[in-house]
Amino acid sequence: MRKTLPQSGGAALPPGQDGLSVEPSQFVQLLAVDFAGIYSVYLAAKDERLKMTRLAMALLSAPFAATIALASAKVIQPGALTAWSGVPWYVFALTMAFGLLSVVPFLRMIEAVSAHMRAARAINNFRLLYVVRLNEQFKGLGWTPNLPVDARYPETYAPLAWPGVNVMALALVNGTYIAVGALGLSGSDPGAFLLVLVIGLLTLLHYLVYYVRANVSRRRRLPSNPYQFPNMET
C-alpha cells in the first residue's frame, strides 16, 4: 500500500532541512514561480474543459442540422417528425451515432480533470517547502499566500464542483441521445416511463464511468521510488 502522511496547518519539513542555506529572498522567487504555476494549471484546465464542451455540443447538434437539411430538401416531411412512429429510422440512427461519438469528449473531460488535479496537488506539496520556512516572515508582514498546502487537495472526484456538473450534464444528454436512437431503431413505440427509465440507466452508466475514472488516481500504480520519499498524494 502507498504510504501517506497526514497534513495539517502546522506541518513541518523533515529533520535535517532546517539548516538549508537558502535565503528568504530565494523563497520569494519560489513564491512567484508557484503563483505562475498554479495559474497556468487552472487556465489549462478551464481551456480544456471549454474545448471538450464545445466539441460535445458540436457533435450533439449534428442530428438537428442533418434533420433540418433533410426536411429542407423534402426528403422528410416536417409533419412526420411530430409523431414517434413517423420519424425515419435513419434519423434515429444519426441520433444514436452522435450520442455515442459524444462519449469521446465526455471521457476526455474526465481525464483532463484528473490530470489537472494531480498537477495542482503537486504544486501544493511544493508550496509547503517555502511556507514552512517563511512562516515567521509572513506573520511579520501580516500576509499569507492564501493558497493550500495540503497535497491531498483538491479532490479529483468532486461531483458538485463545476467540472463535475459539466460532466454529469453531458452524461444526461448523451444518455438521452443514445436512448432515443436505440429505442427508435428497435422499432418500438416507448411510453414516457420506458423512455425515462432507459435514459436514467444510461446516465447512471455514465456516472459510474465518471466515478471509477475520477477515483482511479487513488489506486494507480506509482513510479519507482528508490529513495523512499514519502508520497503525500492520496
Side-chain angles (χ1 to χ4, degrees), residues 66 69 71 79 102 188 195 228:
S102 64
S188 62
L195 186 59
Q228 300 303 309

Side-chain angles (χ1 to χ4, degrees), residues 159-212:
L160 295 183
W162 166 238
V165 172
N166 199 1
V167 167
M168 291 317 304
L170 186 57
L172 178 61
V173 178
N174 286 358
T176 302
Y177 272 58
I178 296 171
V180 169
L183 291 173
L185 287 174
S186 69
S188 62
D189 189 358
F193 176 76
L194 178 59
L195 186 59
V196 170
L197 178 63
V198 175
I199 291 173
L201 290 174
L202 288 171
T203 304
L204 189 61
L205 178 61
H206 280 75
Y207 182 87
L208 181 62
V209 171
Y210 171 43
Y211 179 81
V212 172

Side-chain angles (χ1 to χ4, degrees), residues 1-161:
M1 293 181 64
R2 186 190 317 183
K3 180 180 179 181
T4 59
L5 298 178
Q7 291 276 351
S8 63
L13 292 174
Q17 290 192 4
D18 289 335
L20 288 176
S21 56
V22 181
E23 297 297 326
S25 60
Q26 294 175 285
F27 278 98
V28 172
Q29 295 176 8
L30 293 179
L31 178 62
V33 173
D34 178 15
F35 270 100
I38 197 67
Y39 185 66
S40 299
V41 167
Y42 285 116
L43 275 185
K46 179 181 178 182
D47 183 61
E48 191 151 12
R49 287 197 300 269
L50 186 59
K51 286 180 179 178
M52 290 302 104
T53 302
R54 286 175 175 170
L55 176 58
M57 293 300 102
L59 291 172
L60 293 171
S61 64
F64 291 97
T67 302
I68 292 172
L70 290 172
S72 300
K74 306 300 182 181
V75 176
I76 302 175
Q77 294 300 321
L81 301 175
T82 59
W84 182 279
S85 57
V87 179
W89 67 269
Y90 45 84
V91 174
F92 286 121
L94 277 174
T95 304
M96 183 175 177
F98 281 98
L100 291 172
L101 280 175
S102 64
V103 173
V104 175
F106 173 81
L107 293 175
R108 185 66 195 97
M109 198 177 295
I110 296 172
E111 296 301 322
V113 169
S114 179
H116 294 130
M117 290 304 101
R118 288 198 294 271
R121 290 174 181 179
I123 292 175
N124 290 350
N125 199 30
F126 164 78
R127 186 179 303 121
L128 181 63
L129 174 68
Y130 70 77
V131 167
V132 171
R133 289 297 305 272
L134 292 182
N135 188 32
E136 294 303 321
Q137 285 84 350
F138 289 157
K139 286 181 179 178
L141 294 173
W143 179 83
T144 174
N146 197 29
L147 291 168
V149 294
D150 190 343
R152 300 168 299 181
Y153 175 86
E155 279 291 330
T156 329
Y157 174 67
L160 295 183

